[in-house]
DNA sequence: AAGGCACGCAACCGCGAACGC
DNA sequence: AGCGTTCGCGGTTGCGTGCCT
């Protein structure tokens, strides 16, 4: 059975918004505020789907939108946040005041993706496209690739220690820290940037350019969940040796929406691939210490404490 | 000058989660 | 608990614009 349509398509406008429609929407929201998008079009006298109104407002009409070109700092932040969060555009947008998820998504697909590709970086994994297979993180580190894979594909994560550092700042030349070094020549080639190498002379053989944004460190430390019985909400903070902070707020009343189908560690154990897939009761399990029967979810482990609310990545604070 | 092509952005679509009854 | 509705998100599409030949 299909879903009921969100609106009466036969009587709604589609396509580009007119000035009059914009004005109507702005006037209505100024008077009544946001919300109830379903009924808004009718109430505002718009022949538009509620979703369309919401999108128009959020992505274009909202008064707090910044608009205009992205700055280099925003570029760098997007790249780093993407390496951390993947295609969670709304989360990334939450870190960029005045920017919308749609805007960032478009910007990523049109500019940053190409920029990374031209540097030989896979924008999906933030690794070199011809990365040496041996160049994987050590047993105590996991790249953003691992994180994304675990969030999305249930693939294994090689975590062997109870306190595991996920390094998004892999010091190898092919990682995201390297990405922010090479902007200078980008302007020379950004005009009419094209996937065709014949049009574009890729100049990313810069010998040494000062690294930017050194104050943003995205290393995560995974530790067994701390259970705070006193407070419903608490936070933990990982202080990187260089002084950067990554804070994790965990709110019991605000559980993460996204499912945590991923690996985690508990009590200094090594989990096997089977457990990382959430089939810990299978005969394939070869964990060093049994995790079975613990508080772990029956549908898989709780990588980063997402299920238990140990880490709410929406509220990761970076300084 | 004109046609073709690529790019960039706004908008649409479908799905899953959240919410209310 | 189950079901229907609404909301929000991410992927995709369509169209306007500018550049190239």
């Amino acid at each position: 059975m299909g879903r009921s349509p969100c609106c009466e398509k036969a009587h709604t406008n589609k396509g580009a918004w007119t000035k009059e429609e914009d004005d109507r929407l702005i006037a209505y929201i100024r008077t009544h505020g946001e919300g109830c998008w379903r009924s808004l079009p009718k109430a505002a006298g718009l022949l538009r789907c509620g979703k369309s109104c919401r999108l128009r407002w959020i992505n274009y009409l909202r008064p707090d939108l910044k608009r205009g070109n992205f700055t280099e700092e925003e570029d760098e932040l997007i790249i780093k946040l993407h390496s951390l969060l993947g295609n969670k555009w709304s989360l990334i947008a939450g870190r960029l005041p005045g920017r919308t998820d749609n805007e960032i998504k478009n910007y990523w697909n049109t500019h940053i993706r190409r920029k990374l590709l031209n540097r030989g970086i896979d924008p999906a994994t933030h690794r070199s496209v011809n990365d040496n297979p041996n160049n994987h993180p050590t047993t105590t580190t996991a790249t953003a690739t691992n994180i994304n894979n675990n969030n999305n594909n249930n693939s294994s994560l090689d975590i062997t220690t109870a306190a595991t550092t996920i390094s998004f700042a892999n010091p190898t030349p092919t990682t995201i820290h390297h990405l922010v070094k090479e902007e200078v020549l980008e302007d020379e080639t950004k005009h009419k940037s094209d996937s065709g190498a014949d049009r574009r002379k890729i100049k990313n053989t810069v010998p040494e350019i000062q690294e930017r944004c050194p104050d943003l460190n995205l290393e995560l430390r995974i530790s067994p969940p701390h259970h705070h019985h006193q407070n419903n909400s608490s936070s933990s903070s990982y202080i990187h040796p260089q002084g950067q902070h990554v804070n994790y707020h965990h709110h019991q009343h605000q559980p993460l929406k996204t499912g945590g189908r991923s690996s985690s560690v508990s009590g200094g154990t090594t989990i096997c691939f089977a457990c990382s897939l959430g089939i810990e009761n299978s005969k394939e399990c070869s964990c060093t210490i049994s995790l079975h029967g613990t508080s772990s979810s029956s549908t898989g482990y709780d990588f980063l404490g997402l299920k238990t609310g140990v880490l709410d990545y929406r509220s990761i604070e970076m300084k």
Side-chain angles (χ1 to χ4, degrees):
Chain A
M1 286 300 171
R3 299 165 59 85
S4 59
C6 68
C7 52
E8 191 60 51
K9 291 183 185 296
H11 301 104
T12 54
N13 293 339
K14 290 177 75 172
W17 280 64
T18 64
K19 179 78 169 62
E20 183 185 356
E21 287 176 313
D22 282 349
D23 290 342
R24 277 179 184 268
L25 182 56
I26 291 169
Y28 183 86
I29 292 179
R30 274 184 184 158
T31 307
H32 300 92
E34 291 181 47
C36 204
W37 297 108
R38 171 90 169 186
S39 59
L40 185 148
K42 192 174 182 180
L46 288 164
L47 294 176
R48 288 278 178 176
C49 164
K51 286 175 73 169
S52 181
C53 294
R54 176 183 160 271
L55 217 58
R56 182 65 178 172
W57 173 256
I58 287 176
N59 289 330
Y60 200 81
L61 298 176
R62 245 170 50 199
D64 57 326
L65 292 181
K66 189 182 283 183
R67 313 209 64 81
N69 294 336
F70 282 75
T71 66
E72 288 298 331
E73 288 72 25
E74 287 174 316
D75 266 24
E76 294 160 12
L77 190 55
I78 291 169
I79 291 169
K80 292 190 176 188
L81 287 170
H82 186 272
S83 76
L84 174 64
L85 302 169
N87 292 356
K88 301 292 181 186
W89 305 117
S90 62
L91 294 177
I92 295 172
R95 290 282 153 194
L96 288 146
R99 301 297 188 185
T100 70
D101 53 356
N102 203 39
E103 191 179 11
I104 293 170
K105 179 174 60 183
N106 284 331
Y107 187 67
W108 176 271
N109 287 327
T110 57
H111 292 86
I112 300 179
R113 251 179 67 89
R114 188 176 302 120
K115 184 190 291 186
L116 296 186
L117 286 171
N118 284 334
R119 292 172 182 162
I121 307 291
D122 182 351
T125 63
H126 295 264
R127 300 174 69 98
S128 172
V129 291
N130 50 8
D131 199 6
N132 185 339
N134 296 326
N135 196 19
H136 286 306
T138 67
T139 54
T140 56
T141 62
T143 64
T145 308
N146 296 117
I147 301 300
N148 291 333
N149 285 344
N150 273 280
N151 280 335
N152 300 327
N153 302 328
N154 283 350
S155 61
S156 65
L157 173 65
D158 185 11
I159 299 175
T160 58
T161 60
T164 301
T165 298
I166 300 175
S167 177
F168 298 100
N170 190 332
T172 65
T174 60
T175 56
I176 56 175
H177 264 200
H178 187 64
L179 304 181
V180 298
K181 298 179 182 178
E182 307 177 352
E183 294 295 328
V184 172
L185 291 181
E186 190 65 22
D187 287 343
E188 295 180 17
T189 57
K190 73 180 177 186
H191 187 67
K192 198 60 185 177
S193 57
D194 196 336
S195 58
D198 52 345
R199 281 193 183 178
R200 186 187 187 114
K201 298 295 180 188
I202 303 171
K203 302 180 182 179
N204 55 356
T205 55
V206 189
E208 196 64 49
I209 299 174
Q210 184 179 1
E211 184 173 7
R212 296 203 200 98
C213 202
D215 56 338
L216 177 60
N217 186 288
L218 293 173
E219 288 195 350
L220 298 179
R221 169 159 296 197
I222 303 173
S223 302
H226 294 278
H227 300 288
H228 300 271
H229 300 291
Q230 302 93 328
N231 301 321
N232 286 340
S233 171
S234 60
S235 65
S236 56
S237 166
Y238 167 55
I239 303 176
H240 186 265
Q242 294 175 348
Q244 296 88 350
H245 297 250
V246 177
N247 292 340
Y248 313 112
H249 293 272
H250 26 108
H251 308 280
Q252 288 189 354
H253 297 303
Q254 206 173 18
L256 194 68
K257 278 202 296 189
T258 308
R261 290 177 300 173
S262 46
S263 311
S264 85
V265 290
S266 174
T269 64
T270 302
I271 66 170
C272 65
F273 180 66
C275 282
S276 73
L277 295 175
I279 51 174
E280 61 272 21
N281 288 325
S282 79
K283 61 184 169 63
E284 308 298 332
C285 177
S286 59
C287 290
T288 55
I289 296 175
S290 175
L291 300 168
H292 311 156
T294 68
S295 60
S296 296
S297 162
S298 61
T299 58
Y301 283 78
D302 187 11
F303 177 61
L304 294 177
L306 295 179
K307 281 181 180 175
T308 56
V310 170
L311 166 62
D312 183 350
Y313 65 66
R314 296 178 180 195
S315 57
I316 292 174
E317 291 182 5
M318 283 162 286
K319 296 180 180 178

